C-alpha cells in the first residue's frame, strides 16, 4: 500500500482490519467515460492515478482516508472484526460516535444509493437481511483535513482533476449534502480549535470596533463549544441536538443557524462576526462586514458546501442568564378538544415571541408535548405568560396532564436535565424532512385554520426558534430567506423507512412527504422553509430556501466559484447541473 491508500485509523477502532473488505466494497459500478462538461467520478478513466494521489498525500498532514459505511465490519469474515461490529451497532444512534467515523452519516439513508434500475446499494447494521455491504453514497476516498493548508491542497487537487467534491463537517445533514457516490471527500471533523477574545476586532474593522467573541474551528461540535463557553462564563448562540454533535462552524451557520434562544439573541447569522474559508481557487480568505462583505452576506444563510470550505467562524458571546423551563404533555379528550387546545397553543406563540421565548414541540392529532425556555425571565413572570395556555390545556386534556415550570440556573444546567423526547432517537434513522415557517401574521390571525391543518397530519414538530430578536433584524442584512424576519417558528414533518426497504417503498415515502408538504403549505407564506431541515423534493427550492435573495446569491456564487467546484443538492447554483450533480445541463 502506498501512502495514498493508507486506511484511516479511527479513534474508535471501527476501521481496524477492514482492508480485506476493500476489493469488495470498491468494485466500481459507475460508467467509465467522462466529458468536459461532467465531473470526474471514482472508477472512470479520468480518475487520478496512484502517482497523483501520492503527490497529494505528500502535501497533507494526515494519510488519505478511505471512508467505509459504519456497518462494514459486520460483514467481515475476520474474527477480530466481531467486537468492532458490536461497538458500531451499540452506537448506531449515538451522534457523537457516528461523527467520528468519516463514512458514517447520522441520517443513514444518505449512506445508500438507488440506481436507475431501482436496486439499492447500502450497508445495513441488520445483517439478517442478507445481501452484501455496498459502498452506497459514501465517497470512497478523501482527505482528513487538520489545517487550512490541508484543505487548500485538497481543493486544488479536486479542481485540477475536475473531481466531484463533497465537504463533510460533523453532525446531521438532512439534505445529504456531505454524501455523494464515487466523489472525493474533504472531512473537517478534526479541526477543533477554540479561542476566546475579550476584544475581537474583525479584519479591516475600525479600531473602535471590539467584541467579546469566540473563534471555533471547522470541526468543533456544539457540545464542545458549550463546554468551553461555560468554563469562560459566557454563552454563545447555537443549536441543540442529541449528544450535541451538530457542527458549530459548518452547515449550521451557513444555512442560517436557528436556536431555542434565537428569540433572545437572534439567529446564528445575526451573531457571526467573521468567517475564514478556503475558496474554489484554493485561497484562504477572510469574510466579514469590512473585508469581502459581499461574500460575508452570502455565507450568512446561502448554504453549506456552496461558496467555500469554512476553516473558522467567530461568534459574539453573551452573558449567561437564568431561565425558566415550561413543560407540557397533553393527551386530548376528543378531536374538538385537540382543535381548541392547538388553536390556543398556536395563538400563544405571538405572546411568547414578544417575551423572547423559544423551544421545541411535537404534536399529533391527539397529543401535544413541548419544552419551552424563557431566558432571563423570573418564575412569576413566566407563570403569568404561560398560565392562560396551561389553563386551556388542562380543560381539554385527559387526566394526568403535565404542565410544569422549572427555574434553571443557566442554559448549561438545562443541558443536564433529562427531558423526554417522544420522537425517539434523532440520529441513526432513515428519514427525510420537509418544513415551512409559521409566520407571526399566521399565528395572530389564522390560528384556528393552522391548528386544523396541523392536526390533519400524522406527526408535526414545531421548532420555536424565531420571533423576538429575529424579527428586529433587517431582512436584507444577510443572504438567508428574508421570510425569517416574519417567522415565529419552523414547522416540519418527516417520513421514515427501514433497513432493507425496496426502492419502491422509499419512493412511496418520498411521495407522501411531497403530498404532506402541499398540506403544510397552507399555513406558510411563499412556501418559505429552513434549508437545513427541508425537503429534497421541493417544487421550487430556490423560492422555498431563499425567496427573493436567490438571484443575488447565484451571482455571488458564480463570481467566487465560476467552475462549479462546490455544488450540493438543492444548493445555490445546483439548477445548472443534472440530478446527480455530475454534468452541466
Amino acid at each position: 500500500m502506498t501512502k495514498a491508500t493508507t486506511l484511516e485509523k479511527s479513534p474508535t477502532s471501527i476501521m481496524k482490519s477492514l482492508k480485506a473488505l476493500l476489493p469488495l466494497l470498491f468494485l466500481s459500478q459507475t460508467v467509465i467515460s467522462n466529458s468536459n462538461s461532467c465531473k470526474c467520478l471514482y472508477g472512470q478513466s479520468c480518475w487520478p492515478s496512484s502517482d497523483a494521489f501520492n503527490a497529494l498525500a505528500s502535501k497533507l498532514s494526515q494519510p488519505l482516508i478511505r471512508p467505509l459505511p459504519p456497518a462494514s465490519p459486520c460483514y467481515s469474515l475476520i474474527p477480530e472484526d466481531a467486537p468492532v461490529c458490536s461497538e458500531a451497532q451499540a452506537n448506531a444512534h449515538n451522534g457523537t460516535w457516528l461523527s467520528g467515523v468519516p463514512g458514517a452519516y447520522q441520517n443513514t439513508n444518505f449512506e445508500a444509493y438507488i440506481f436507475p434500475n431501482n436496486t439499492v446499494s447500502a450497508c445495513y447494521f441488520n445483517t439478517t437481511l442478507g445481501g452484501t455491504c455496498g459502498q452506497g453514497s459514501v465517497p470512497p476516498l478523501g482527505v482528513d483535513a487538520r489545517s487550512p493548508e490541508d484543505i487548500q491542497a485538497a481543493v486544488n487537487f479536486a479542481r485540477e482533476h475536475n473531481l466531484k467534491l463533497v465537504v463533510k463537517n460533523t453532525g446531521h445533514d438532512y439534505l445529504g449534502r456531505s454524501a455523494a457516490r464515487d466523489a472525493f471527500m474533504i472531512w473537517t471533523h478534526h479541526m477543533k480549535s477554540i479561542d476566546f477574545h475579550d476584544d475581537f476586532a474583525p479584519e479591516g474593522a475600525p479600531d473602535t470596533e471590539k467584541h467579546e467573541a469566540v473563534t471555533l474551528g471547522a470541526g468543533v461540535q456544539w457540545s464542545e463549544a458549550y463546554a468551553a463557553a461555560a468554563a469562560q462564563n459566557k454563552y454563545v448562540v447555537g443549536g441543540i441536538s442529541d449528544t450535541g454533535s451538530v457542527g458549530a462552524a459548518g452547515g449550521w451557520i451557513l444555512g442560517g443557524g436557528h436556536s431555542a434562544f434565537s428569540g433572545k439573541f437572534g439567529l446564528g447569522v445575526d451573531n457571526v462576526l467573521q468567517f475564514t474559508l478556503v475558496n474554489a481557487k484554493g485561497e484562504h480568505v477572510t469574510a466579514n462586514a469590512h473585508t469581502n462583505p459581499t461574500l460575508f452576506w452570502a455565507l450568512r444563510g446561502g448554504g453549506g458546501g456552496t461558496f467555500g470550505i469554512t476553516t473558522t467562524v467567530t461568534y459574539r458571546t453573551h452573558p449567561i442568564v437564568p431561565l425558566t423551563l415550561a413543560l407540557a404533555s397533553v393527551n386530548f379528550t376528543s378531536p374538538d378538544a385537540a382543535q381548541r387546545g392547538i388553536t390556543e397553543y398556536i395563538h400563544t406563540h405571538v405572546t411568547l415571541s414578544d417575551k423572547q421565548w423559544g423551544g421545541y414541540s411535537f404534536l399529533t392529532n391527539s397529543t401535544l408535548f413541548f419544552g419551552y425556555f424563557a431566558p432571563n425571565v423570573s418564575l412569576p413572570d413566566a407563570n403569568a405568560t404561560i398560565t392562560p395556555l396551561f389553563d386551556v390545556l388542562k380543560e381539554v386534556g385527559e387526566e394526568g396532564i403535565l404542565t410544569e415550570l422549572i427555574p434553571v440556573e443557566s442554559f448549561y444546567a438545562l443541558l443536564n436535565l433529562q427531558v423526554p423526547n417522544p420522537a425517539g432517537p434523532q440520529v441513526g434513522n432513515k428519514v427525510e424532512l420537509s418544513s415551512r415557517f409559521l409566520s407571526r401574521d399566521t399565528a395572530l390571525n389564522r390560528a384556528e385554520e393552522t391548528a386544523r391543518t396541523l392536526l390533519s397530519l400524522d406527526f408535526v414538530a414545531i421548532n420555536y426558534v424565531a420571533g423576538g430578536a429575529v424579527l428586529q433584524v433587517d431582512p436584507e442584512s444577510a443572504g438567508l430567506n428574508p421570510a425569517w424576519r416574519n417567522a415565529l417558528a419552523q414547522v416540519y414533518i418527516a417520513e421514515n423507512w427501514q433497513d432493507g426497504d425496496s426502492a419502491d417503498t422509499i419512493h412511496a415515502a418520498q411521495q407522501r412527504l411531497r403530498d404532506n408538504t402541499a398540506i403544510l403549505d397552507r399555513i406558510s407564506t411563499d412556501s418559505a422553509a429552513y434549508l437545513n431541515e427541508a425537503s429534497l423534493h421541493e417544487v421550487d427550492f430556490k423560492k422555498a430556501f431563499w425567496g427573493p435573495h436567490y438571484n443575488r446569491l447565484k451571482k455571488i456564487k458564480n463570481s467566487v466559484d465560476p467552475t462549479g467546484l462546490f455544488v450540493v443538492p438543492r444548493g445555490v447554483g445546483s439548477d445548472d447541473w443534472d440530478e446527480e450533480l455530475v454534468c452541466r445541463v
Side-chain angles (χ1 to χ4, degrees), residues 518-537:
I519 295 173
L520 195 62
D521 225 10
R522 299 171 190 166
I523 72 166
S524 69
T525 302
D526 293 331
S527 305
Y530 177 41
L531 67 95
N532 279 347
E533 294 169 343
S535 174
L536 289 164
H537 315 290

Side-chain angles (χ1 to χ4, degrees), residues 103-185:
Y105 290 82
Q106 302 202 9
N107 304 117
T108 57
N109 43 302
F110 294 114
E111 294 174 10
Y113 181 82
I114 301 176
F115 289 96
N117 66 359
N118 274 350
T119 59
V120 180
S121 173
C123 189
Y124 301 123
F125 278 117
N126 183 0
T127 58
T128 65
L129 296 170
T132 60
C133 176
Q135 186 73 7
S137 292
V138 178
L141 195 65
V143 169
D144 178 3
R146 306 292 177 101
S147 67
E149 291 76 17
D150 284 345
I151 297 177
Q152 288 176 285
V155 164
N156 289 333
F157 184 83
R159 185 187 64 253
E160 291 163 6
H161 292 278
N162 193 30
L163 303 183
K164 181 169 175 57
L165 177 66
V166 298
V167 182
K168 189 170 188 285
N169 174 248
T170 188
H172 55 243
D173 174 5
Y174 288 111
L175 289 174
R177 292 177 166 178
S178 56
R181 183 170 179 80
D182 294 326
F184 181 66
M185 175 193 289

Side-chain angles (χ1 to χ4, degrees), residues 2 22-23 46 52 61 90 121 154 193 207 231 239 248 267 282 303-304 332 380 391 396 452 463 467 523 545:
T2 64
L22 295 181
C46 58
S61 66
S121 173
S193 61
D207 293 339
L267 296 165
F332 295 112
D391 286 345
V396 299
R452 186 174 298 108
N463 290 338
I523 72 166
F545 297 169

Side-chain angles (χ1 to χ4, degrees), residues 331-350:
N331 291 323
F332 295 112
T333 57
S334 69
D336 288 343
Q339 174 67 38
R340 183 183 171 204
I342 299 302
T343 297
E344 182 67 20
Y345 168 70
I346 294 298
H347 195 267
T348 299
H349 281 76
V350 178

Side-chain angles (χ1 to χ4, degrees), residues 5-39:
T5 56
T6 299
L7 194 64
E8 168 66 5
K9 301 299 184 182
S10 166
T12 64
S13 80
I14 185 177
M15 309 303 286
K16 177 184 176 183
S17 304
L18 288 175
K19 289 182 182 179
L21 289 173
L22 295 181
L24 170 65
L25 292 171
F26 296 142
L27 286 174
S28 176
Q29 295 174 303
T30 63
V31 295
I32 59 173
S33 63
N34 181 264
S35 68
N36 291 333
S37 63
C38 299
K39 294 178 180 290

Side-chain angles (χ1 to χ4, degrees), residues 64 70 168 186 245 300 343 382 396 504 511 538 542 550 555-556 564 583:
L64 287 168
K168 189 170 188 285
I186 298 177
S245 59
R300 289 179 296 138
T343 297
V396 299
D504 287 342
Q511 185 58 51
E538 284 286 352
K542 295 178 285 186
Y550 183 80
K555 183 177 180 180
I556 297 169
C583 298

Side-chain angles (χ1 to χ4, degrees), residues 250-418:
W252 180 85
I253 180 62
L254 297 169
H258 71 49
S259 165
F261 297 92
S262 295
K264 177 69 174 177
F265 299 113
L267 296 165
V269 295
D270 303 327
N271 285 271
V272 65
L273 299 169
Q274 181 167 287
F275 296 92
T276 60
L277 67 154
V278 175
N279 64 19
K281 296 179 181 179
E283 301 166 331
H284 193 214
V285 301
T286 298
N288 59 44
H290 311 280
T291 301
N292 291 317
T294 299
L295 179 58
F296 185 58
W297 182 88
L299 290 170
R300 289 179 296 138
T306 299
F307 300 94
I309 303 177
T310 55
T311 55
T312 65
V313 177
T314 301
Y315 295 97
R316 62 170 51 89
T317 57
H318 302 275
I320 292 177
V321 297
L323 55 95
T324 300
L325 169 63
L327 290 175
S329 181
V330 185
N331 291 323
F332 295 112
T333 57
S334 69
D336 288 343
Q339 174 67 38
R340 183 183 171 204
I342 299 302
T343 297
E344 182 67 20
Y345 168 70
I346 294 298
H347 195 267
T348 299
H349 281 76
V350 178
T351 300
L352 298 181
S353 169
D354 295 341
K355 304 291 186 180
Q356 300 183 327
W357 288 44
Y360 305 96
S361 66
F362 308 92
L363 64 91
T364 69
N365 58 13
S366 60
T367 63
L368 169 67
F369 172 88
F370 66 77
Y372 278 178
F373 320 126
N376 209 25
V377 175
S378 68
L379 189 61
D381 287 345
N383 186 62
T385 298
I386 203 70
T387 289
L389 173 60
F390 276 180
D391 286 345
V392 171
L393 294 179
K394 289 174 182 177
E395 290 179 25
V396 299
E398 293 179 353
E399 186 176 350
I401 180 176
L402 167 69
T403 56
E404 188 172 3
L405 287 173
I406 305 171
V408 183
E409 180 182 340
S410 71
F411 166 70
Y412 303 114
L414 174 69
L415 292 180
N416 295 323
L417 291 178
Q418 297 299 313

